[in-house]
Coordinates of all heavy atoms in Angstrom, one line a residue:
M98 N 29.7 -4.9 33.2 CA 30.6 -5.9 33.7 C 32.0 -5.3 34.0 O 32.4 -4.3 33.5 CB 30.9 -7.0 32.5 CG 29.7 -8.0 32.4 SD 29.4 -9.0 33.9 CE 30.9 -10.1 33.8
M99 N 32.6 -5.9 35.0 CA 33.9 -5.5 35.4 C 35.0 -6.0 34.4 O 34.8 -7.1 33.9 CB 34.2 -6.0 36.8 CG 33.5 -5.2 37.8 SD 33.5 -6.0 39.5 CE 35.0 -6.7 39.6
S100 N 36.0 -5.3 34.2 CA 37.1 -5.7 33.3 C 38.1 -6.5 34.1 O 39.2 -6.1 34.4 CB 37.8 -4.5 32.6 OG 38.3 -3.7 33.6
I101 N 37.7 -7.7 34.4 CA 38.6 -8.6 35.1 C 39.1 -9.7 34.3 O 38.4 -10.1 33.4 CB 37.9 -9.1 36.4 CG1 36.6 -9.7 36.1 CG2 37.8 -8.0 37.5 CD1 35.9 -10.4 37.2
E102 N 40.2 -10.2 34.6 CA 40.8 -11.3 33.8 C 40.4 -12.6 34.5 O 40.8 -12.8 35.6 CB 42.3 -11.1 33.8 CG 43.0 -11.7 32.5 CD 44.4 -11.4 32.5 OE1 44.8 -10.2 32.5 OE2 45.2 -12.3 32.6
S103 N 39.6 -13.4 33.9 CA 39.2 -14.6 34.5 C 39.9 -15.8 33.9 O 40.2 -15.8 32.7 CB 37.7 -14.8 34.2 OG 37.2 -15.8 35.0
S104 N 40.3 -16.7 34.8 CA 41.0 -17.8 34.3 C 40.4 -19.1 34.8 O 41.0 -20.0 35.4 CB 42.5 -17.8 34.7 OG 42.6 -17.7 36.1
G105 N 39.1 -19.2 34.7 CA 38.4 -20.4 35.0 C 37.9 -20.6 36.4 O 38.3 -19.8 37.2
E106 N 37.2 -21.6 36.7 CA 36.6 -21.8 38.0 C 37.7 -22.4 38.9 O 38.6 -23.1 38.5 CB 35.5 -22.9 37.9 CG 34.2 -22.3 37.5 CD 33.1 -23.3 37.5 OE1 33.0 -24.0 38.5 OE2 32.3 -23.4 36.6
Q107 N 37.5 -22.0 40.2 CA 38.4 -22.6 41.3 C 37.6 -23.7 42.0 O 36.6 -23.4 42.7 CB 38.7 -21.5 42.3 CG 39.4 -20.3 41.6 CD 40.8 -20.7 41.0 OE1 41.6 -21.2 41.7 NE2 41.0 -20.5 39.7
P108 N 38.0 -24.9 41.8 CA 37.2 -26.0 42.4 C 37.2 -26.0 43.9 O 38.3 -25.7 44.5 CB 37.9 -27.3 41.9 CG 39.2 -26.9 41.5 CD 39.1 -25.4 41.1
G109 N 36.1 -26.3 44.5 CA 36.0 -26.4 46.0 C 35.9 -25.1 46.7 O 35.9 -25.1 47.9
V110 N 35.9 -23.9 46.0 CA 35.7 -22.7 46.7 C 34.3 -22.2 46.6 O 33.6 -22.3 45.6 CB 36.6 -21.6 46.0 CG1 36.5 -20.3 46.7 CG2 38.1 -22.1 46.0
V111 N 33.7 -21.7 47.7 CA 32.4 -21.3 47.8 C 32.3 -19.8 48.2 O 33.0 -19.4 49.1 CB 31.6 -22.2 48.8 CG1 30.1 -21.6 49.0 CG2 31.5 -23.6 48.3
C112 N 31.5 -19.1 47.5 CA 31.4 -17.6 47.7 C 30.8 -17.4 49.1 O 29.7 -17.9 49.5 CB 30.4 -17.0 46.7 SG 30.0 -15.3 47.0
P113 N 31.4 -16.5 49.9 CA 30.9 -16.2 51.3 C 29.7 -15.3 51.2 O 28.9 -15.2 52.2 CB 32.0 -15.5 52.0 CG 32.9 -15.0 50.9 CD 32.7 -15.9 49.7
G114 N 29.4 -14.7 50.0 CA 28.3 -13.8 49.9 C 27.0 -14.5 49.6 O 26.0 -14.3 50.2
C115 N 27.0 -15.4 48.5 CA 25.8 -16.0 48.1 C 25.9 -17.6 48.1 O 24.9 -18.2 47.8 CB 25.5 -15.6 46.7 SG 26.6 -16.2 45.4
G116 N 27.1 -18.1 48.5 CA 27.2 -19.5 48.5 C 27.4 -20.2 47.2 O 27.5 -21.4 47.1
G117 N 27.5 -19.4 46.1 CA 27.7 -19.9 44.8 C 29.1 -20.5 44.6 O 30.0 -20.2 45.4
S118 N 29.3 -21.4 43.7 CA 30.6 -22.1 43.5 C 31.2 -21.7 42.1 O 32.2 -22.3 41.7 CB 30.4 -23.6 43.6 OG 29.4 -24.0 42.6
D119 N 30.6 -20.8 41.4 CA 31.1 -20.3 40.1 C 32.1 -19.2 40.4 O 31.8 -18.0 40.3 CB 30.0 -19.9 39.2 CG 30.5 -19.6 37.8 OD1 31.7 -19.9 37.5 OD2 29.7 -19.1 37.0
I120 N 33.3 -19.6 40.9 CA 34.3 -18.6 41.3 C 35.5 -18.6 40.4 O 36.0 -19.6 40.0 CB 34.9 -19.1 42.7 CG1 33.8 -19.4 43.7 CG2 35.8 -18.0 43.3 CD1 32.9 -18.2 44.1
G121 N 35.8 -17.4 40.0 CA 37.0 -17.2 39.1 C 38.1 -16.4 39.8 O 37.9 -15.8 40.8
M122 N 39.2 -16.3 39.1 CA 40.3 -15.6 39.7 C 40.4 -14.2 38.9 O 40.1 -14.1 37.8 CB 41.7 -16.3 39.4 CG 41.9 -17.5 40.3 SD 42.2 -17.1 42.0 CE 43.7 -16.2 41.9
A123 N 40.8 -13.2 39.7 CA 41.1 -11.9 39.1 C 42.2 -11.2 39.8 O 42.4 -11.4 41.0 CB 39.8 -11.1 39.1
Q124 N 42.9 -10.3 39.1 CA 43.8 -9.4 39.8 C 43.1 -8.1 40.1 O 42.6 -7.5 39.2 CB 45.0 -9.1 38.8 CG 45.6 -10.3 38.2 CD 46.7 -10.9 39.1 OE1 47.6 -10.2 39.6 NE2 46.6 -12.2 39.4
V125 N 43.1 -7.8 41.4 CA 42.4 -6.6 41.8 C 43.3 -5.6 42.5 O 44.4 -5.9 42.9 CB 41.2 -6.9 42.8 CG1 40.2 -7.9 42.1 CG2 41.7 -7.5 44.1
R126 N 42.8 -4.4 42.7 CA 43.5 -3.3 43.4 C 42.7 -3.0 44.6 O 41.5 -2.8 44.4 CB 43.7 -2.2 42.4 CG 44.4 -1.0 43.1 CD 44.9 0.0 42.0 NE 43.8 0.6 41.2 CZ 44.0 1.5 40.3 NH1 45.2 1.9 40.1 NH2 43.0 2.0 39.7
S127 N 43.3 -2.8 45.7 CA 42.6 -2.5 46.9 C 43.3 -1.4 47.7 O 44.5 -1.4 47.7 CB 42.3 -3.8 47.7 OG 41.3 -3.5 48.7
A128 N 42.5 -0.6 48.4 CA 43.1 0.4 49.3 C 42.9 0.1 50.7 O 41.9 -0.4 51.1 CB 42.5 1.8 49.0
F129 N 44.0 0.4 51.5 CA 43.9 0.1 52.9 C 44.4 1.3 53.7 O 45.3 2.0 53.3 CB 44.9 -1.1 53.3 CG 44.7 -2.3 52.5 CD1 45.3 -2.6 51.3 CD2 43.8 -3.3 53.0 CE1 45.1 -3.8 50.6 CE2 43.6 -4.5 52.3 CZ 44.2 -4.7 51.1
F130 N 43.7 1.5 54.8 CA 44.2 2.6 55.7 C 45.2 1.9 56.7 O 44.9 0.9 57.3 CB 43.1 3.2 56.5 CG 42.6 4.5 55.8 CD1 41.4 4.4 55.1 CD2 43.3 5.6 55.9 CE1 41.0 5.6 54.4 CE2 42.9 6.8 55.3 CZ 41.7 6.7 54.5
H131 N 46.4 2.5 56.8 CA 47.3 2.0 57.8 C 47.8 3.1 58.6 O 48.4 4.0 58.1 CB 48.5 1.3 57.1 CG 49.5 0.8 58.1 ND1 50.7 1.4 58.3 CD2 49.5 -0.3 58.8 CE1 51.4 0.7 59.2 NE2 50.7 -0.4 59.5
E132 N 47.4 3.2 59.9 CA 47.6 4.3 60.8 C 47.0 5.5 60.0 O 45.8 5.5 59.7 CB 49.0 4.5 61.2 CG 49.4 3.3 62.2 CD 50.9 3.1 62.3 OE1 51.7 3.8 61.7 OE2 51.2 2.1 63.0
D133 N 47.8 6.6 59.7 CA 47.3 7.8 59.1 C 47.4 7.7 57.5 O 47.1 8.7 56.9 CB 47.9 9.0 59.6 CG 47.3 9.5 60.9 OD1 46.2 8.9 61.2 OD2 47.9 10.3 61.6
R134 N 48.0 6.6 57.1 CA 48.3 6.6 55.6 C 47.3 5.7 54.9 O 46.7 4.8 55.4 CB 49.7 5.9 55.4 CG 50.9 6.7 55.9 CD 52.0 5.8 56.1 NE 52.6 5.3 54.9 CZ 53.0 4.0 54.8 NH1 52.9 3.2 55.8 NH2 53.5 3.6 53.6
L135 N 47.1 6.1 53.7 CA 46.3 5.3 52.8 C 47.2 4.6 51.8 O 48.1 5.3 51.2 CB 45.3 6.2 52.0 CG 44.4 5.5 50.9 CD1 43.5 4.5 51.6 CD2 43.7 6.5 50.1
V136 N 47.2 3.3 51.7 CA 48.1 2.6 50.8 C 47.2 1.8 49.8 O 46.1 1.4 50.1 CB 49.1 1.7 51.5 CG1 50.0 2.5 52.4 CG2 48.3 0.6 52.3
V137 N 47.8 1.6 48.6 CA 47.1 0.9 47.6 C 47.9 -0.3 47.2 O 49.1 -0.2 47.1 CB 46.8 1.8 46.4 CG1 46.3 0.9 45.2 CG2 45.9 2.9 46.7
V138 N 47.3 -1.5 47.2 CA 48.0 -2.7 46.8 C 47.4 -3.1 45.5 O 46.2 -3.3 45.4 CB 47.9 -3.8 47.8 CG1 48.6 -5.0 47.4 CG2 48.4 -3.3 49.2
E139 N 48.2 -3.3 44.4 CA 47.8 -3.7 43.1 C 48.1 -5.2 42.9 O 48.9 -5.8 43.6 CB 48.5 -2.9 42.0 CG 48.1 -1.4 42.1 CD 48.7 -0.7 40.9 OE1 49.9 -1.0 40.6 OE2 48.0 0.1 40.3
D140 N 47.4 -5.7 41.9 CA 47.7 -7.1 41.4 C 47.5 -8.1 42.5 O 48.2 -9.1 42.6 CB 49.2 -7.2 40.9 CG 49.5 -6.2 39.9 OD1 48.6 -6.0 39.0 OD2 50.6 -5.7 39.9
I141 N 46.5 -7.9 43.4 CA 46.1 -8.9 44.4 C 45.3 -10.0 43.7 O 44.4 -9.7 43.0 CB 45.3 -8.3 45.5 CG1 45.9 -7.0 46.1 CG2 45.0 -9.3 46.6 CD1 45.0 -6.3 47.1
P142 N 45.8 -11.2 43.9 CA 45.0 -12.3 43.3 C 43.7 -12.6 44.1 O 43.8 -13.0 45.3 CB 45.9 -13.5 43.4 CG 46.9 -13.2 44.5 CD 47.0 -11.7 44.6
A143 N 42.6 -12.2 43.6 CA 41.3 -12.3 44.3 C 40.5 -13.4 43.6 O 40.6 -13.7 42.5 CB 40.6 -11.0 44.3
L144 N 39.6 -13.9 44.4 CA 38.6 -14.8 43.9 C 37.3 -14.0 43.7 O 36.9 -13.2 44.6 CB 38.3 -15.9 44.9 CG 39.5 -16.8 45.3 CD1 39.3 -17.6 46.5 CD2 39.9 -17.7 44.1
V145 N 36.7 -14.1 42.6 CA 35.5 -13.3 42.3 C 34.3 -14.3 41.9 O 34.5 -15.2 41.1 CB 35.8 -12.4 41.1 CG1 34.5 -11.5 40.8 CG2 37.0 -11.5 41.4
C146 N 33.2 -14.0 42.6 CA 32.0 -14.8 42.4 C 31.3 -14.3 41.1 O 31.0 -13.1 41.0 CB 31.1 -14.7 43.6 SG 29.5 -15.5 43.3
A147 N 31.0 -15.3 40.2 CA 30.3 -14.9 39.0 C 28.8 -14.6 39.3 O 28.2 -13.9 38.5 CB 30.4 -16.0 38.0
G148 N 28.3 -15.1 40.4 CA 26.9 -14.9 40.7 C 26.6 -13.6 41.3 O 25.7 -12.9 40.9
C149 N 27.4 -13.1 42.2 CA 27.1 -11.8 42.9 C 28.3 -10.8 42.8 O 28.2 -9.7 43.5 CB 26.7 -12.1 44.3 SG 28.1 -12.6 45.4
N150 N 29.3 -11.1 42.1 CA 30.5 -10.2 42.0 C 31.2 -9.9 43.3 O 32.0 -9.0 43.4 CB 30.1 -8.9 41.4 CG 30.1 -9.0 39.8 OD1 30.9 -9.8 39.3 ND2 29.3 -8.2 39.2
E151 N 31.0 -10.7 44.3 CA 31.7 -10.6 45.6 C 33.2 -10.9 45.3 O 33.5 -11.9 44.7 CB 31.1 -11.6 46.6 CG 31.9 -11.7 47.9 CD 31.4 -10.7 49.0 OE1 30.4 -10.0 48.7 OE2 32.0 -10.6 50.0
Q152 N 34.1 -10.1 45.9 CA 35.5 -10.4 45.8 C 36.0 -10.8 47.2 O 35.7 -10.2 48.2 CB 36.3 -9.1 45.4 CG 36.1 -8.7 44.0 CD 36.9 -7.5 43.6 OE1 37.6 -7.0 44.4 NE2 36.7 -7.0 42.4
F153 N 36.8 -11.9 47.2 CA 37.4 -12.3 48.5 C 38.7 -12.9 48.2 O 39.1 -13.2 47.0 CB 36.4 -13.2 49.2 CG 35.9 -14.4 48.4 CD1 36.5 -15.7 48.6 CD2 34.9 -14.3 47.5 CE1 36.0 -16.7 47.8 CE2 34.4 -15.3 46.8 CZ 35.0 -16.6 46.9
Y154 N 39.5 -13.1 49.2 CA 40.9 -13.6 49.1 C 41.0 -15.0 49.7 O 40.4 -15.3 50.6 CB 41.8 -12.6 49.7 CG 41.7 -11.2 49.3 CD1 41.6 -10.2 50.3 CD2 41.7 -10.8 48.0 CE1 41.4 -8.9 49.9 CE2 41.5 -9.5 47.6 CZ 41.4 -8.5 48.6 OH 41.3 -7.2 48.2
D155 N 41.9 -15.7 49.1 CA 42.2 -17.0 49.7 C 43.1 -16.8 50.9 O 43.7 -15.8 51.1 CB 42.7 -18.1 48.7 CG 44.1 -17.7 48.1 OD1 44.8 -16.9 48.7 OD2 44.4 -18.3 47.1
D156 N 43.3 -17.9 51.7 CA 44.1 -17.8 52.9 C 45.5 -17.3 52.7 O 46.0 -16.5 53.4 CB 44.1 -19.2 53.6 CG 42.8 -19.6 54.1 OD1 41.9 -18.7 54.2 OD2 42.6 -20.8 54.5
Q157 N 46.1 -17.8 51.6 CA 47.5 -17.4 51.4 C 47.6 -15.9 51.1 O 48.5 -15.3 51.5 CB 48.0 -18.2 50.2 CG 49.5 -18.1 49.9 CD 50.3 -18.4 51.2 OE1 50.2 -19.5 51.7 NE2 51.2 -17.5 51.6
T158 N 46.6 -15.4 50.4 CA 46.6 -14.0 50.0 C 46.4 -13.1 51.3 O 47.0 -12.1 51.5 CB 45.6 -13.7 49.0 OG1 45.8 -14.5 47.8 CG2 45.6 -12.2 48.6
V159 N 45.5 -13.6 52.2 CA 45.3 -12.9 53.4 C 46.5 -12.8 54.3 O 46.9 -11.8 54.8 CB 44.1 -13.6 54.2 CG1 44.0 -13.0 55.6 CG2 42.8 -13.4 53.4
V160 N 47.3 -14.0 54.3 CA 48.5 -14.0 55.1 C 49.5 -13.0 54.5 O 50.2 -12.2 55.2 CB 49.1 -15.4 55.1 CG1 50.5 -15.4 55.6 CG2 48.2 -16.4 55.9
W161 N 49.6 -13.0 53.2 CA 50.6 -12.1 52.5 C 50.2 -10.6 52.8 O 51.1 -9.8 53.0 CB 50.5 -12.4 51.0 CG 51.5 -11.6 50.2 CD1 52.8 -11.9 50.0 CD2 51.2 -10.4 49.5 NE1 53.4 -10.9 49.2 CE2 52.4 -10.0 48.9 CE3 50.1 -9.6 49.3 CZ2 52.5 -8.9 48.1 CZ3 50.2 -8.5 48.5 CH2 51.4 -8.1 47.9
L162 N 48.9 -10.3 52.8 CA 48.5 -8.9 53.1 C 48.8 -8.6 54.5 O 49.2 -7.5 54.8 CB 47.0 -8.7 52.8 CG 46.7 -8.7 51.3 CD1 45.1 -8.7 51.1 CD2 47.2 -7.4 50.6
D163 N 48.6 -9.6 55.4 CA 48.9 -9.3 56.8 C 50.4 -9.1 57.0 O 50.8 -8.2 57.9 CB 48.5 -10.5 57.7 CG 47.0 -10.5 58.0 OD1 46.4 -9.4 57.8 OD2 46.4 -11.4 58.5
L164 N 51.2 -9.8 56.3 CA 52.7 -9.6 56.4 C 53.0 -8.2 56.0 O 53.9 -7.5 56.6 CB 53.4 -10.7 55.6 CG 53.4 -12.1 56.1 CD1 54.1 -13.0 55.1 CD2 54.2 -12.1 57.4
L165 N 52.4 -7.8 54.9 CA 52.7 -6.4 54.3 C 52.3 -5.4 55.3 O 53.0 -4.4 55.6 CB 52.0 -6.3 53.0 CG 52.5 -5.2 52.0 CD1 54.0 -5.3 51.7 CD2 51.7 -5.2 50.8
R166 N 51.1 -5.6 56.0 CA 50.6 -4.7 57.0 C 51.5 -4.7 58.2 O 51.8 -3.7 58.8 CB 49.2 -5.0 57.3 CG 48.6 -4.1 58.4 CD 47.2 -4.5 58.8 NE 46.2 -4.2 57.8 CZ 45.5 -5.1 57.1 NH1 45.6 -6.3 57.4 NH2 44.6 -4.7 56.2
G167 N 51.9 -5.9 58.6 CA 52.8 -6.0 59.7 C 54.2 -5.3 59.5 O 54.8 -4.8 60.5
A168 N 54.6 -5.3 58.3 CA 55.8 -4.6 57.9 C 55.6 -3.1 57.8 O 56.6 -2.3 57.6 CB 56.4 -5.1 56.6
G169 N 54.4 -2.7 58.0 CA 54.0 -1.2 58.0 C 53.9 -0.7 56.6 O 54.1 0.5 56.4
F170 N 53.7 -1.5 55.6 CA 53.6 -1.1 54.2 C 54.8 -0.2 53.9 O 54.7 1.0 53.6 CB 52.3 -0.3 53.9 CG 51.1 -1.2 53.9 CD1 50.2 -1.1 55.0 CD2 50.8 -2.1 52.9 CE1 49.0 -1.9 55.1 CE2 49.6 -2.9 53.0 CZ 48.8 -2.8 54.1
P171 N 56.0 -0.8 53.9 CA 57.2 0.1 53.8 C 57.3 0.8 52.5 O 57.2 0.2 51.4 CB 58.4 -1.0 53.9 CG 57.8 -2.3 53.7 CD 56.3 -2.2 54.1
T172 N 57.5 2.1 52.5 CA 57.5 3.0 51.3 C 58.6 2.5 50.3 O 58.4 2.6 49.1 CB 57.8 4.4 51.8 OG1 56.8 4.8 52.8 CG2 57.6 5.4 50.6
E173 N 59.7 2.0 50.8 CA 60.8 1.6 49.9 C 60.4 0.4 49.0 O 61.0 0.2 48.0 CB 62.1 1.4 50.6 CG 62.1 0.2 51.6 CD 61.6 0.6 53.0 OE1 61.0 1.7 53.2 OE2 61.9 -0.2 54.0
R174 N 59.4 -0.3 49.5 CA 58.9 -1.4 48.6 C 57.8 -1.0 47.7 O 57.3 -1.8 46.9 CB 58.5 -2.6 49.5 CG 59.7 -3.3 50.1 CD 59.3 -4.3 51.1 NE 58.3 -5.3 50.7 CZ 57.7 -6.2 51.5 NH1 57.9 -6.2 52.8 NH2 56.9 -7.1 51.0
A175 N 57.3 0.2 47.8 CA 56.2 0.7 46.9 C 56.7 0.8 45.5 O 57.8 1.3 45.2 CB 55.6 2.0 47.5
R176 N 55.8 0.5 44.6 CA 56.1 0.6 43.2 C 55.9 2.0 42.7 O 56.5 2.5 41.7 CB 55.2 -0.3 42.4 CG 55.6 -1.7 42.3 CD 54.7 -2.4 41.4 NE 55.2 -3.7 41.0 CZ 55.1 -4.1 39.7 NH1 54.4 -3.4 38.8 NH2 55.6 -5.3 39.4
D177 N 54.9 2.7 43.3 CA 54.5 3.9 42.7 C 53.8 4.7 43.8 O 53.6 4.2 44.9 CB 53.4 3.7 41.6 CG 53.4 4.8 40.6 OD1 54.1 5.8 40.8 OD2 52.7 4.6 39.6
E178 N 53.6 6.0 43.6 CA 52.8 6.8 44.6 C 51.7 7.5 43.9 O 51.7 7.9 42.7 CB 53.8 7.9 45.2 CG 54.6 7.4 46.3 CD 55.3 8.5 47.0 OE1 54.6 9.5 47.5 OE2 56.5 8.4 47.1
L179 N 50.6 7.6 44.6 CA 49.4 8.3 44.1 C 49.2 9.5 45.0 O 49.4 9.5 46.2 CB 48.2 7.4 44.3 CG 48.0 6.1 43.4 CD1 46.8 5.4 43.9 CD2 47.9 6.5 42.0
R180 N 48.7 10.6 44.3 CA 48.2 11.7 45.0 C 46.7 11.6 45.0 O 46.1 11.4 44.0 CB 48.6 13.0 44.4 CG 50.0 13.4 44.6 CD 50.3 14.6 43.7 NE 49.5 15.8 44.0 CZ 49.9 16.7 44.9 NH1 51.1 16.6 45.5 NH2 49.1 17.7 45.2
V181 N 46.1 11.6 46.2 CA 44.6 11.4 46.3 C 44.0 12.6 46.8 O 44.4 13.2 47.8 CB 44.3 10.1 47.1 CG1 44.8 8.9 46.4 CG2 44.8 10.2 48.5
P182 N 42.9 13.0 46.2 CA 42.1 14.2 46.7 C 41.4 13.7 48.0 O 40.9 12.6 48.1 CB 41.1 14.5 45.6 CG 41.0 13.3 44.8 CD 42.3 12.5 44.9
V183 N 41.3 14.6 49.0 CA 40.6 14.3 50.2 C 39.4 15.2 50.4 O 39.6 16.4 50.2 CB 41.6 14.4 51.4 CG1 40.9 14.2 52.7 CG2 42.8 13.5 51.3
F184 N 38.3 14.6 50.6 CA 37.1 15.4 50.8 C 36.6 15.3 52.2 O 36.8 14.3 52.9 CB 36.0 14.9 49.8 CG 36.4 15.0 48.4 CD1 37.0 14.0 47.7 CD2 36.2 16.2 47.7 CE1 37.3 14.1 46.4 CE2 36.5 16.3 46.3 CZ 37.1 15.3 45.7
S185 N 35.9 16.3 52.7 CA 35.2 16.2 53.9 C 33.7 16.3 53.7 O 33.3 17.2 53.0 CB 35.7 17.3 54.9 OG 34.8 17.4 56.0
F186 N 33.0 15.5 54.4 CA 31.6 15.6 54.2 C 31.0 16.9 54.8 O 30.0 17.4 54.4 CB 30.9 14.4 54.9 CG 29.5 14.1 54.4 CD1 29.3 13.5 53.2 CD2 28.4 14.5 55.2 CE1 28.0 13.3 52.7 CE2 27.1 14.3 54.7 CZ 26.9 13.7 53.5
R187 N 31.8 17.4 55.7 CA 31.4 18.7 56.3 C 31.3 19.8 55.3 O 30.4 20.6 55.3 CB 32.4 19.1 57.4 CG 31.9 20.0 58.5 CD 33.0 20.3 59.5 NE 33.5 19.1 60.1 CZ 34.7 19.0 60.8 NH1 35.4 20.1 60.9 NH2 35.1 17.9 61.4
D188 N 32.2 19.8 54.3 CA 32.2 20.8 53.2 C 30.9 20.6 52.4 O 30.3 21.6 51.9 CB 33.4 20.6 52.3 CG 34.7 20.9 53.1 OD1 34.6 21.6 54.1 OD2 35.7 20.4 52.6
C189 N 30.4 19.4 52.2 CA 29.2 19.2 51.4 C 28.0 19.8 52.1 O 27.2 20.5 51.5 CB 28.9 17.7 51.3 SG 30.3 16.8 50.5
L190 N 28.0 19.6 53.4 CA 26.9 20.2 54.2 C 26.9 21.7 54.2 O 25.9 22.3 54.1 CB 27.0 19.7 55.7 CG 26.9 18.2 55.8 CD1 27.1 17.8 57.3 CD2 25.5 17.7 55.4
M191 N 28.1 22.3 54.3 CA 28.2 23.8 54.2 C 27.8 24.3 52.9 O 27.1 25.3 52.8 CB 29.7 24.2 54.5 CG 30.0 24.1 56.0 SD 31.8 24.2 56.3 CE 32.1 25.9 55.8
T192 N 28.2 23.6 51.8 CA 27.8 24.1 50.5 C 26.2 24.0 50.4 O 25.6 24.9 49.8 CB 28.4 23.2 49.4 OG1 29.8 23.1 49.6 CG2 28.1 23.7 48.0
E193 N 25.7 23.0 50.9 CA 24.2 22.8 50.9 C 23.5 24.0 51.6 O 22.5 24.5 51.2 CB 23.9 21.5 51.5 CG 22.4 21.1 51.4 CD 22.1 20.6 50.0 OE1 23.0 20.3 49.3 OE2 20.9 20.5 49.7
A194 N 24.1 24.4 52.8 CA 23.5 25.4 53.6 C 23.5 26.8 52.9 O 22.7 27.6 53.1 CB 24.2 25.5 54.9
E195 N 24.6 27.1 52.1 CA 24.8 28.4 51.5 C 23.8 28.6 50.3 O 23.4 29.7 50.0 CB 26.2 28.5 50.9 CG 27.2 28.8 52.0 CD 28.6 28.6 51.5 OE1 28.8 28.5 50.3 OE2 29.5 28.5 52.3
T196 N 23.3 27.5 49.7 CA 22.5 27.7 48.5 C 21.0 27.8 48.9 O 20.6 27.3 50.0 CB 22.7 26.6 47.5 OG1 22.5 25.3 48.2 CG2 24.0 26.7 46.9
Ligands
ZN341 ZN1 28.5 -14.9 45.3

């Protein structure tokens, strides 16, 4: 199970994945590519389906994410920074060929 904080069902919301209506709220973290940058947004209020674990956002959250993207995910509004390792699949193939 995922460690999500559930606060009850959301009436009238249907899962786009399986059509189920047992939908709860959770705070999720998601990564977005914006031009050449990778940005992470935390504490996104997401709707989570109890049936298939599909995560989706309500209209208001989508608008808010669009606004943030439209602003170019301004660094001065970021709470924190992550260093992320970058891998190339090409390296995997080369390692495979050497052995
Ligand atoms: Zn579902």
